[in-house]
Amino acid sequence: MFETPTSRANTVNTHHSLILGLVATDCIAAVIIAVYLQSAWELYPCPLCILQRYFFIALGLFSLFSLLLKPGKLRDFSSAFCLLLALGGAAAAAWHVWILHHPAADCGRDAVGEFINGLPMAQWFPSVFYATGSCIDEIPPVLGMSFPVWALILFSLSALVLAASLLRRLRA
């Protein structure tokens, strides 16, 4: 009937673990769907698409890493890093959405594209990590929205739930 500090901490830790697991699952699913649709629809990803993939992969891996840690300061630090990755991914996706609405803007095929394509992953797995398209290419919408809009939604939701869960965890 009454909640003890220990039972509240256990509930908060379980909730935080669930959030980390959901974020990791969403990130893995987002990359798998993007790669599948790229192949099925014969799309050419742009540098910002690939940058968002890197953010999804990093966020997913760090969420899994945080999930494996015992509750404590290291897990809180790792979760805060996950929050920063989600915010970074949201910034990249927001920039991509802005470019889609302002086609005259440069999408980053110069310096960003060279950097992205120069990374080892682009050499090892070019079908997944090599940018060959332009940021303003027409892409068929998925459920009425473009890929960058979906990425912005997923990164923003991840940042929101991670921030709320982390604050709740720190207050427990």
Side-chain angles (χ1 to χ4, degrees):
M1 194 151 7
F2 292 103
E3 190 174 55
T4 64
T6 304
S7 67
R8 174 161 169 66
N10 288 339
T11 302
V12 169
N13 286 331
T14 302
H15 178 262
H16 190 65
S17 295
L18 179 64
I19 294 295
L20 289 169
L22 288 173
V23 168
T25 303
D26 289 346
C27 290
I28 293 165
V31 172
I32 289 171
I33 290 169
V35 170
Y36 171 77
L37 291 178
Q38 171 189 332
S39 175
W41 291 351
E42 297 180 9
L43 301 173
Y44 302 101
C46 71
L48 290 176
C49 293
I50 300 298
L51 182 62
Q52 290 166 60
R53 283 184 194 177
Y54 279 119
F55 271 111
F56 273 124
I57 290 168
L59 178 56
L61 289 176
F62 271 94
S63 294
L64 284 176
F65 174 73
S66 298
L67 184 61
L68 296 174
L69 295 173
K70 290 182 181 178
K73 294 203 182 293
L74 183 59
R75 187 179 199 187
D76 294 341
F77 178 78
S78 181
S79 297
F81 187 69
C82 289
L83 175 59
L84 289 176
L85 286 170
L87 292 171
W95 177 247
H96 197 171
V97 170
W98 187 86
I99 286 175
L100 288 175
H101 289 43
H102 301 87
D106 183 19
C107 77
R109 275 194 64 103
D110 44 27
V112 175
E114 288 178 25
F115 174 75
I116 293 291
N117 288 337
L119 293 173
M121 295 296 282
Q123 309 308 312
W124 299 334
F125 305 105
S127 63
V128 178
F129 294 108
Y130 197 83
T132 55
S134 172
C135 298
I136 57 172
D137 287 346
E138 256 327 288
I139 300 173
V142 177
L143 300 175
M145 292 187 282
S146 67
F147 284 109
V149 171
W150 280 113
L152 179 58
I153 290 169
L154 286 174
F155 282 125
S156 298
L157 286 175
S158 295
L160 184 67
V161 297
L162 283 167
S165 180
L166 193 56
L167 284 174
R168 184 176 178 203
R169 161 100 182 83
L170 293 174
R171 289 183 185 164

